[in-house]
Amino acid sequence: MKTINGLKFYTFKEVFSKKLKNKEFRRGYEEEKARLKLVEQIINLRQAKKLTQKTLAEKANMPQSAIARIESGSHSCSLGTLYRVANVFGKEIRLV
């Protein structure tokens, strides 16, 4: 913390560390982190296989817009949708 002209300024690390002590915040943060990691894996797999979103969508029997929404990271998707995408890559979904 730094005080300037009577105002207290906190670093991101100080604020974030304090927030992580809250169980609800930590749970939400961990869920979001896991979801975004999954999104990153889908994008990386698609690019490694040199597939476009449209081609992946066709192979998974869904519209291209569904793949775009998943990859945007701002939308969640159903387990069924994840299963169809995973199946295209020869992967399975597991709870670990």
Side-chain angles (χ1 to χ4, degrees), residues 51-67 69-70 78 80-89:
L51 297 175
T52 63
Q53 287 182 348
K54 183 178 180 181
T55 305
L56 173 57
E58 288 169 354
K59 290 177 180 265
N61 196 28
M62 62 183 65
Q64 179 271 333
S65 60
I67 302 300
R69 282 193 303 274
I70 293 167
S78 70
T81 299
L82 275 180
Y83 175 80
R84 293 188 334 208
V85 171
N87 193 44
V88 170
F89 298 120

Side-chain angles (χ1 to χ4, degrees), residues 14-26:
E14 290 170 326
V15 173
F16 189 64
S17 294
K18 184 176 180 179
K19 283 288 193 185
L20 280 177
K21 291 177 185 174
N22 178 297
K23 287 181 184 178
E24 230 176 278
F25 179 86
R26 181 185 280 290

Side-chain angles (χ1 to χ4, degrees), residues 18-55:
K18 184 176 180 179
K19 283 288 193 185
L20 280 177
K21 291 177 185 174
N22 178 297
K23 287 181 184 178
E24 230 176 278
F25 179 86
R26 181 185 280 290
R27 184 176 45 103
Y29 172 75
E30 293 299 331
E31 285 175 9
E32 186 64 11
K33 195 166 86 170
R35 192 179 67 78
L36 291 175
K37 183 178 178 182
L38 181 60
V39 167
E40 183 180 30
Q41 288 174 336
I42 290 169
I43 293 169
N44 289 341
L45 281 167
R46 180 179 62 77
Q47 291 175 341
K49 298 279 187 184
K50 299 193 182 333
L51 297 175
T52 63
Q53 287 182 348
K54 183 178 180 181
T55 305

